[in-house]
Amino acid sequence: MSSHPHRPAALVAGAVPLALALALLATGCETSTTPTATDAHADDMFSSVRFTLGARGDIKVVGTSRTAVTRAGDRTVTGGRAYPFDRPPGKLLVVLRHWPSGASGVRAARDAVRQLPPPDDVAIESAYLVDTGDWTLAELDGHAVQWLRRDTIRVDTTKAGAVGRTHLTLSGPRGSRPGQVTPPPDARACEGIDPAVNRYVVLPEVESGSTVPEVLARLRERCLDVQYVSMPGGGHRGTVRSIEIPVAGPTAPVAELPPTDDSPAQGRLPGDKILTDPSRPTRVLVIR
């Protein structure tokens, strides 16, 4: 999940070739395995499915493979803590965090300009199980973010405010043989980590405008779970604007990288060791 500038550093778009970027997108928390005969036919079984949601829910599932999607329930969450949904072997778990639907038209109109979390609401996580069979590419608002297989992906709309709808698309390898997809790194070092026990991690170096794969790799090296947030403006589309790593404590602060003047956890810089709360995912803010 060294020195550091006090302001985000711009990164030239397209610095990483597309082919290399997609290869780097292969990340996960399971030990890689050799593709089986069943995996070789995954392209025929799963094609594409799209989840569309707003900050107030109203989730829609469309696509040629929507029959591969099964609801796994809705749970309320507090303090930003992720609900531990069960993920059966061989399934992909999609968790979408949002606020409850608006109670009235007046409330909805007020939400149109409000960017802060509703003080009287508790966030909801809606979970879905997807039978992808093999590798699938996750795209957030049209931008590739991660290759997945038998893993979990989380998207959070609670911070984005009323800025339109967020789209999460899962697509099969599109004709590529499974062996051509780079497997995730061996993550056995992360096995056995208890999400209920706080632990220390060293904050990584993160610059505004970095690609999602490079930031994701640094967070996974520290065994941090991620939750994507799609945000408008602020740089090149599809790149990382900032990340928020949860800091253990009664006030539920976060260490924001790159740090900003109004960060709720000022003074924490890359290289610092902090006590994290693993039950709260690290949020990766991606520019839509």
Side-chain angles (χ1 to χ4, degrees):
M1 195 252 205
S2 61
S3 61
H4 190 280
H6 292 290
R7 292 297 178 189
L11 196 69
V12 178
V16 179
L18 179 60
L20 176 59
L22 293 182
L24 290 172
L25 286 171
T27 58
C29 286
E30 295 191 49
T31 303
S32 59
T33 58
T34 302
T36 64
T38 300
D39 292 336
H41 299 287
D43 296 9
D44 298 330
M45 298 169 56
F46 182 83
S47 176
S48 177
V49 68
R50 189 182 198 186
F51 298 85
T52 301
L53 72 154
R56 287 286 176 179
D58 185 24
I59 301 169
K60 296 181 180 179
V61 182
V62 299
T64 56
S65 299
R66 61 185 177 276
T67 55
V69 180
T70 305
R71 285 292 303 271
D74 300 308
R75 296 290 187 275
T76 57
V77 292
T78 58
R81 289 172 175 79
Y83 184 84
F85 288 98
D86 291 332
R87 185 184 62 79
K91 300 288 186 178
L92 174 65
L93 176 63
V94 175
V95 181
L96 308 175
R97 183 178 293 190
H98 55 89
W99 298 115
S101 59
S104 67
V106 174
R107 177 68 174 272
R110 191 165 68 244
D111 289 342
V113 295
R114 182 173 56 194
Q115 298 296 312
L116 298 176
D120 53 345
D121 281 347
V122 176
I124 295 175
E125 288 188 337
S126 299
Y128 298 81
L129 294 172
V130 188
D131 186 7
T132 62
D134 195 23
W135 293 103
T136 183
L137 178 63
E139 297 173 287
L140 188 63
D141 289 325
H143 306 293
V145 292
Q146 186 177 354
W147 280 101
L148 296 160
R149 182 173 70 165
R150 302 159 194 165
D151 206 337
T152 300
I153 183 167
R154 296 176 177 273
V155 177
D156 185 355
T157 65
T158 61
K159 184 169 181 170
V163 292
R165 305 188 69 75
T166 299
H167 307 281
L168 172 66
T169 304
L170 304 176
S171 303
R174 296 175 179 152
S176 299
R177 294 191 302 273
Q180 293 178 315
V181 179
T182 305
D186 190 335
R188 283 177 292 183
C190 298
E191 291 180 356
I193 290 180
D194 189 341
V197 178
N198 299 338
R199 59 186 178 84
Y200 285 96
V201 300
V202 177
L203 293 178
E205 182 81 30
V206 176
E207 291 183 349
S208 181
S210 298
T211 64
V212 175
E214 61 180 302
V215 172
L216 186 59
R218 294 171 191 174
L219 297 177
R220 288 298 177 92
E221 285 177 357
R222 292 157 175 79
C223 304
L224 293 170
D225 291 330
V226 304
Q227 189 167 50
Y228 293 105
V229 179
S230 182
M231 299 288 289
H236 297 297
R237 294 180 178 180
T239 62
V240 175
R241 189 170 86 175
S242 61
I243 64 171
E244 297 174 350
I245 299 179
V247 180
T251 59
V254 296
E256 184 177 352
L257 299 176
T260 59
D261 293 339
D262 57 351
S263 172
Q266 295 182 29
R268 294 182 173 92
L269 300 174
D272 291 348
K273 181 181 288 187
I274 65 169
L275 185 64
T276 63
D277 180 356
S279 69
R280 294 159 51 207
T282 294
R283 294 204 286 189
V284 178
L285 281 63
V286 181
I287 301 171
R288 73 168 70 205

